[in-house]
Amino acid sequence: MKEGSVLTKKAAVIPLTMLCCLLWGSAFPCIKLGYGYSAIGSDDTASQILYAGLRFTLAGVLAIVIGSITARKLLFPTRKSLPKAALLSLFQTILQYTFFYIGLARSTGMKSSVITASNVFLSILVASLIFRTEKLTFRKVLGCIVGFSGVVLINLSGIGGGFSFTGEGFVFLSALSYAFSAALIKRFSSEEDPVMLSGWQFIIGGSFMTALGLALGGRIGEINFRGMAMLVYLAIVSAAAFSIWGTLLKHNPVSMISVFGFMNPVFGVILSFLLLSERSAAGPLHVIAALGLVALGIVTVNFAPVLKNKEKV
């Protein structure tokens, strides 16, 4: 059985997307912990950019090394694929994470997770209306609304407190950048290895952000084992999650994969509570209801065609 046919089956898509969402959900609290371990202040923009640059450069190296071993060949961009990796790095790494790191430092992990969830809507809109790689249907919109309502429900206490352009505004711009990167991955991976694209876009974008952070006077305030371990973990999160996600986008519609992104903030809220003690007013019943709505949204987008096809038979 070919890889492509396996990666279109729900039995493979669901566990792989859930793994990615768990990893990304852990990034919300772990970035904040990383700032603390490395003595980077919430208003130290240059150091935040430097920290992100180091993380993604390392993530790119890890993705290329592991991908090359798996493919039994060196994953190196050609003259034709290098501009694609560079354009992808602009949206997926440079813009998305510059906005995200700065915005997250000026907002709460819970509030950021809710705003970030808008990238599911934005990904489907960008893919349908701008790149035109799929159709925008009522079912997709309905699934997004249902899933997003679950995200809001589980973040009841984390969505208040006002709005800051360099906080919540930057987190939204990060989500918009991700939406464009998802559409670009879908388009480019039809001809290129998605792991190669993810790895090299991280190296390009990470190197740029590292240089920018240093030029602006950024520094790692304190170097210790905990700080280095957290940086390595965050690099592994990016290398693994984006490589898997990019491969799934290659073989499936953007809407089908992106809607699972509603699980990111669910994991983010749970892990923010466990690791940062950020508490939500949502009690156990709200959490169960929120998970039900998220699951219903995912089912609405992904499984309705199957039921429709069975009816035709």
Side-chain angles (χ1 to χ4, degrees):
M1 185 178 290
K2 294 182 179 180
E3 177 196 39
S5 61
V6 172
L7 293 177
T8 59
K9 295 184 178 299
K10 298 297 189 297
V13 170
I14 292 175
L16 288 174
T17 50
M18 293 298 283
L19 172 61
C20 292
C21 293
L22 175 61
L23 291 172
W24 279 324
S26 71
F28 291 107
C30 286
I31 289 172
K32 283 185 169 289
L33 288 173
Y35 287 164
Y37 296 155
S38 300
I40 297 175
S42 62
D43 58 347
D44 190 352
T45 302
S47 296
Q48 292 161 13
I49 293 175
L50 172 61
Y51 189 86
L54 293 173
R55 171 194 174 186
F56 295 125
T57 301
L58 179 57
V61 172
L62 289 174
I64 294 301
V65 170
I66 295 173
S68 296
I69 293 174
T70 303
R72 297 183 179 180
K73 64 177 182 179
L74 179 62
L75 297 181
F76 196 82
T78 63
R79 182 178 299 180
K80 180 181 178 182
S81 61
L82 185 58
K84 298 177 182 177
L87 180 60
L88 186 58
S89 73
L90 175 63
F91 288 97
Q92 185 167 311
T93 298
I94 297 173
L95 292 179
Q96 180 184 179
Y97 283 101
T98 296
F99 285 132
F100 180 74
Y101 267 66
I102 297 173
L104 180 61
R106 293 163 172 79
S107 183
T108 66
M110 290 184 180
K111 189 186 295 186
S112 296
S113 69
V114 173
I115 299 171
T116 300
S118 67
N119 66 24
V120 176
F121 290 109
L122 295 172
S123 295
I124 294 175
L125 290 175
V126 169
S128 303
L129 303 179
I130 298 179
F131 286 81
R132 299 186 180 280
T133 55
E134 58 185 89
K135 292 183 179 180
L136 182 64
T137 65
F138 173 76
R139 176 175 52 80
K140 293 176 182 178
V141 174
L142 178 62
C144 286
I145 293 174
V146 172
F148 189 72
S149 65
V151 173
V152 173
L153 181 61
I154 202 175
N155 283 277
L156 287 178
S157 69
I159 57 178
F163 176 88
S164 166
F165 178 71
T166 57
E168 291 77 18
F170 272 24
V171 175
F172 177 78
L173 290 176
S174 169
L176 182 60
S177 299
Y178 166 81
F180 277 90
S181 73
L184 289 172
I185 290 174
K186 177 67 177 178
R187 172 171 291 184
F188 294 159
S189 62
S190 62
E191 299 178 350
E192 308 290 347
D193 185 326
V195 177
M196 183 277 292
L197 286 173
S198 291
W200 281 101
Q201 70 84 18
F202 273 138
I203 291 175
I204 295 170
S207 298
F208 175 86
M209 293 177 72
T210 299
L212 178 61
L214 289 172
L216 294 175
R219 65 186 183 87
I220 304 299
E222 184 176 339
I223 299 177
N224 51 53
F225 176 77
R226 290 193 306 174
M228 294 301 295
M230 186 60 72
L231 185 64
V232 171
Y233 171 74
L234 288 168
I236 292 173
V237 165
S238 296
F242 272 108
S243 294
I244 295 171
W245 200 262
T247 302
L248 291 173
L249 282 172
K250 176 178 181 178
H251 298 289
N252 299 278
V254 171
S255 59
M256 175 182 170
I257 301 303
S258 292
V259 73
F260 282 91
F262 281 131
M263 287 303 299
N264 291 353
V266 174
F267 286 125
V269 166
I270 294 172
L271 293 172
S272 289
F273 168 73
L274 294 175
L275 299 177
L276 301 177
S277 296
E278 288 187 2
R279 298 182 180 276
S280 173
L285 293 179
H286 282 91
V287 172
I288 293 173
L291 288 172
L293 287 170
V294 169
L296 181 59
I298 292 172
V299 168
T300 301
V301 172
N302 283 281
F303 292 88
V306 176
L307 297 175
K308 187 176 180 180
N309 289 337
K310 284 185 177 180
E311 291 175 358
K312 287 183 178 180
V313 175

